[in-house]
Amino acid sequence: MAEAWGWHLAGDSTEFASAGIYGGGSILPETVAVMAEVGLDLSGKVSKRVTDLDLASFDVAVSLCDVPAKSIVGPGFRGRTLDIPLPDPYGHGLDVYRDVRDKLRTLVLELLRDL
């Protein structure tokens, strides 16, 4: 959801990538559904693992879970790290997915203002 908001709100002006510690594979149908409600099509997209990314190429790394961003990116990361834990909607109803979706939109807007 965070990556989709990033591309949607910033367009081509900023590169966004979203990945998880346990990512990889299709995006959950609940995620696809709540993003479709706001006009963002995630059908056919796949989730990525953080190890799939070249983290050194990023200026900012944000951890949305209870694992600190600094421990995820490693000691060689030269960018800024932020820890903003959000609830994991997995296994919950669509209302929780919607809440996380809306919080992520706000977060991405705030990050864009700070860049």
Side-chain angles (χ1 to χ4, degrees), residues 89-110:
Y90 180 74
H92 298 282
L94 290 179
D95 286 342
V96 175
Y97 279 82
R98 288 181 187 108
D99 183 54
V100 171
R101 173 199 66 201
D102 296 343
K103 286 178 179 174
L104 285 170
R105 182 182 187 280
T106 300
L107 170 64
V108 169
L109 284 169
E110 290 171 358

Side-chain angles (χ1 to χ4, degrees), residues 15-100:
E15 182 177 345
F16 281 85
S18 181
I21 298 170
Y22 306 110
S26 10
I27 295 177
L28 295 170
E30 296 89 348
T31 300
V32 174
V34 299
M35 293 305 280
E37 292 174 357
V38 293
L40 299 177
D41 182 11
L42 298 184
S43 59
K45 303 286 185 188
V46 295
S47 65
K48 297 176 283 297
R49 291 176 181 235
V50 72
T51 54
D52 296 337
L53 302 176
D54 175 16
L55 296 176
S57 69
F58 289 92
D59 297 318
V60 180
V62 180
S63 172
L64 300 174
C65 63
D66 58 355
V67 178
K70 286 185 188 222
S71 67
I72 295 170
V73 297
F77 183 72
R78 300 286 180 238
R80 181 171 54 139
T81 58
L82 299 169
D83 298 313
I84 306 170
L86 292 178
D88 185 350
Y90 180 74
H92 298 282
L94 290 179
D95 286 342
V96 175
Y97 279 82
R98 288 181 187 108
D99 183 54
V100 171

